[in-house]
């Protein structure tokens, strides 16, 4: 995402953080991703923040408006403030994208596609949602 948002200008000079195509091998995971984020922020802070996912619900920074914020910096600050504010951002995002109908009808595939993108099935997000629902459903 950083590559896309910076018009690929760092692909050659910083290939570990800016790649024209998504490459799983570049993802190092967990808190170590902050190192990559910090490097990207030295090049373009706003676009770096848009390119990362934030909070318990892993909302991508470029979705800050859909989550109810006027800019990505405000969105990121709020993600650090409380889990309640993260939940509020998630609810805003779900409503903005029209995904609540899929939750109400338990259409996990449609929700996962809208929330995680067209490749949701590769990570079985729909199946994971269904299993979590079944585990916690108190009919």
């Amino acid at each position: 995402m950083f590559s896309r948002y910076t018009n690929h200008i760092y692909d050659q000079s910083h290939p570990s953080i800016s790649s024209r195509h998504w490459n799983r091998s570049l993802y190092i995971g967990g808190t170590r991703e902050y190192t990559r984020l910090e490097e990207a922020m030295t090049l373009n802070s706003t676009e770096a923040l848009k390119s990362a996912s934030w909070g318990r619900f892993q909302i991508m920074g470029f979705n800050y408006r859909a989550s109810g914020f006027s800019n990505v910096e405000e969105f990121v600050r709020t993600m650090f403030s409380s889990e309640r504010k993260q939940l509020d951002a998630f609810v805003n995002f779900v409503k903005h994208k029209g995904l609540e109908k899929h939750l109400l009808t338990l259409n996990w595939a449609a929700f996962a596609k809208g929330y995680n993108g067209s490749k949701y099935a590769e990570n079985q997000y729909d199946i994971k949602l269904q299993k979590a629902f079944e585990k916690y459903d108190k009919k």
Side-chain angles (χ1 to χ4, degrees), residues 11-138:
D11 291 358
Q12 295 294 324
S13 62
H14 295 79
S16 66
I17 61 168
S18 186
S19 177
R20 187 171 290 271
H21 303 286
W22 191 80
N23 179 346
R24 183 178 292 277
S25 69
L26 296 177
Y27 181 74
I28 56 178
T31 57
R32 296 180 301 165
E33 285 297 317
Y34 282 111
T35 303
R36 295 178 66 226
L37 176 61
E38 288 171 356
E39 183 179 353
M41 289 178 70
T42 65
L43 301 171
N44 187 318
S45 180
T46 298
E47 304 309 334
L49 296 176
K50 287 180 187 176
S51 302
S53 57
W54 300 96
R56 284 252 189 237
F57 301 94
Q58 292 295 283
I59 300 170
M60 291 297 296
F62 61 80
N63 286 309
Y64 67 89
R65 279 194 189 97
S67 301
F69 298 89
S70 59
N71 61 64
V72 69
E73 291 82 6
E74 176 191 9
F75 168 75
V76 171
R77 274 193 305 277
T78 301
M79 292 300 100
F80 279 97
S81 68
S82 74
E83 288 182 342
R84 173 58 202 214
K85 301 257 179 165
Q86 292 173 21
L87 177 60
D88 292 342
F90 170 73
V91 170
N92 288 337
F93 178 80
V94 167
K95 287 181 176 180
H96 180 85
K97 296 291 185 177
L99 300 175
E100 69 272 18
K101 64 185 172 232
H102 304 309
L103 292 176
L104 294 170
T105 60
L106 309 181
N107 187 341
W108 306 118
F111 180 82
K113 182 177 182 183
Y115 192 76
N116 300 104
S118 61
K119 295 185 177 186
Y120 71 92
E122 290 179 17
N123 292 306
Q124 300 184 331
Y125 289 129
D126 55 332
I127 294 167
K128 291 174 183 176
L129 285 166
Q130 182 174 357
K131 285 182 179 179
F133 177 81
E134 290 168 356
K135 179 178 179 180
Y136 296 104
D137 184 29
K138 303 209 187 311

